[in-house]
């Protein structure tokens, strides 16, 4: 089914990660710059991150699992205790914009500055410079890959162009892409917010998990990569989070390799350097100018 799956460590059946985007109320202030602060009801839902993150870190500790948390750097400044809890649990803290800005809406200089500033802030709060970036709302401009390479990021996780890792080649060097898909995002399954204009009919946790586990089954069957893109204020609710332990245990029994994304990226980089596996390489940007009708 997959044309070129990489060899995973110790013959693992697939690589897997449950990643959390700790957006908190950054997304509300970005969407409503003038009156986000007055929407306290919506803030309360998003600030539930402060309740859910310690619970998630505790679950991962019980499972002996280290994973990756993407944090807009404004959230790290505003809620340093949340980031400290994540870092103290041994987890990777990776970057996710400053106030969750959408990459293609930014002037290039501004985008570059936010990528650099986010690394500086996370290094200060988490004690370690981030190695990874996830474009907020999966946005990624024609300049993003080059800026990430320039600023020393090793990988990005948020494009959707393959089932296995691939390489983004830029003027400033290469970075590894660890691709995702909306199928493993908890937002379409469970999010419901009038303030952010997203309505999902309320459904049982099992219905969402059916989708996630179908994706994981396929990754296990074909040697792929499974990355859950979840949010503490969505998937950290007790009814949903209590299903995660079983999902991880069943996948581990079947040979899944769970690791922080920086370790998966380092594995891919090592394979490439040693010549044991050749990933697909995409030169970015795909188009240097607006695409017009060539016959017109
Ligand atoms: Zn986000």
């Amino acid at each position: 089914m997959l044309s070129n799956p990489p060899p995973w460590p110790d013959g693992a059946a697939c690589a897997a990660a449950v990643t959390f985007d700790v957006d908190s109320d950054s997304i509300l202030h970005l969407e409503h710059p003038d009156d986000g602060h007055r929407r306290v009801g919506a803030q309360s839902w998003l600030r539930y991150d402060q309740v859910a993150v310690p619970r998630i870190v505790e679950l991962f500790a019980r499972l002996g699992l280290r994973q990756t948390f993407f944090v807009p750097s404004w959230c790290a400044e505003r809620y340093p205790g949340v980031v400290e809890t994540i870092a103290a649990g041994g987890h990777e803290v990776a970057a996710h914009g400053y106030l969750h800005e959408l990459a293609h809406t930014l002037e290039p200089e501004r985008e570059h500055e936010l990528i650099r500033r986010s690394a500086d802030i996370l290094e200060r709060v988490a004690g370690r410079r981030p190695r990874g970036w996830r474009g907020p709302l999966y946005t990624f401009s024609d300049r993003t890959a080059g800026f990430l390479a320039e600023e020393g990021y090793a990988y990005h996780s948020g494009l959707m162009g393959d089932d296995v890792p691939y390489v983004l080649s830029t003027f400033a060097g290469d970075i590894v892409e660890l691709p995702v898909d909306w199928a493993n995002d908890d937002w379409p399954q469970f999010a419901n917010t009038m303030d952010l204009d997203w309505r999902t009919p309320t459904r049982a946790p099992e219905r969402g998990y059916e989708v996630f586990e179908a994706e994981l089954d396929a990754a296990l069957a074909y040697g792929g990569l499974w990355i859950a893109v979840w949010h503490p204020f969505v998937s950290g609710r007790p009814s949903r989070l209590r299903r995660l332990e079983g999902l991880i245990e069943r996948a581990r029994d079947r040979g899944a390799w769970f690791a922080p994304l920086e370790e998966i990226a380092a594995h891919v980089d090592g394979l490439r350097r040693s010549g044991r596996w050749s990933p697909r390489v995409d030169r970015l940007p795909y188009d240097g100018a607006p695409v017009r009708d060539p016959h017109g």
Side-chain angles (χ1 to χ4, degrees), residues 36-114:
H37 66 293
R38 301 196 63 207
R39 297 174 183 248
V40 175
Q43 277 186 298
S44 73
W45 175 54
L46 298 161
R47 288 168 59 107
Y48 185 83
D49 272 359
Q50 291 165 76
V51 173
V53 165
R55 177 185 291 155
I56 294 162
V57 168
E58 193 183 306
L59 171 67
F60 284 163
R62 199 164 67 244
L63 294 170
L65 207 60
R66 288 179 305 108
Q67 293 287 268
T68 301
F69 293 74
F70 290 90
V71 185
S73 46
W74 174 83
C75 297
E77 286 181 330
R78 185 69 197 271
Y79 310 113
V82 170
V83 173
E84 286 159 13
T85 299
I86 293 165
H91 302 288
E92 176 190 7
V93 177
H96 191 46
Y98 179 70
L99 197 66
H100 211 270
E101 297 84 1
L102 308 184
H104 61 280
T105 67
L106 302 172
E107 289 297 323
E109 298 73 28
R110 168 94 172 140
E111 185 185 9
H112 193 168
E113 192 265 322
L114 291 175

Side-chain angles (χ1 to χ4, degrees), residues 64-254:
L65 207 60
R66 288 179 305 108
Q67 293 287 268
T68 301
F69 293 74
F70 290 90
V71 185
S73 46
W74 174 83
C75 297
E77 286 181 330
R78 185 69 197 271
Y79 310 113
V82 170
V83 173
E84 286 159 13
T85 299
I86 293 165
H91 302 288
E92 176 190 7
V93 177
H96 191 46
Y98 179 70
L99 197 66
H100 211 270
E101 297 84 1
L102 308 184
H104 61 280
T105 67
L106 302 172
E107 289 297 323
E109 298 73 28
R110 168 94 172 140
E111 185 185 9
H112 193 168
E113 192 265 322
L114 291 175
I115 286 172
R116 185 185 302 129
R117 190 204 307 172
S118 292
D120 291 343
I121 293 170
L122 292 185
E123 182 175 21
R124 197 164 65 239
V125 179
R128 203 166 154 259
R129 208 157 177 83
R131 306 286 291 147
W133 177 275
R134 171 170 291 149
L137 238 176
Y138 303 127
T139 60
F140 197 95
S141 82
D142 52 339
R143 311 293 185 97
T144 307
F147 292 151
L148 292 175
E150 249 185 306
E151 294 305 321
Y153 287 84
Y155 75 90
H156 175 264
S157 179
L159 297 182
M160 304 192 182
D162 213 325
D163 311 292
V164 295
Y166 56 109
V167 168
L168 309 177
S169 170
T170 81
F171 67 91
D174 295 351
I175 62 169
V176 173
E177 173 63 38
L178 301 175
V180 300
D181 189 86
W182 274 105
N184 287 319
D185 191 308
D186 61 2
W187 202 262
Q189 300 301 330
F190 300 129
N192 193 328
T193 160
M194 280 180 278
D195 294 272
L196 297 171
D197 198 24
W198 186 289
R199 310 302 302 271
T200 303
T202 301
R203 66 187 77 187
E206 288 76 10
R207 299 289 82 77
Y209 267 73
E210 278 174 4
V211 177
F212 306 143
E213 296 212 40
E215 291 287 316
L216 181 50
D217 278 351
L220 281 161
Y222 304 121
L225 171 67
W226 181 84
I227 299 174
V229 182
W230 294 356
H231 303 78
F233 57 83
V234 175
S235 288
R237 294 188 61 76
S239 64
R240 296 169 190 152
L241 195 66
R242 67 200 290 253
R243 264 92 189 158
L244 179 55
E245 188 165 350
L247 177 147
I248 288 171
E249 283 175 345
R250 284 190 295 279
R252 276 177 159 174
D253 287 347
R254 295 170 61 193

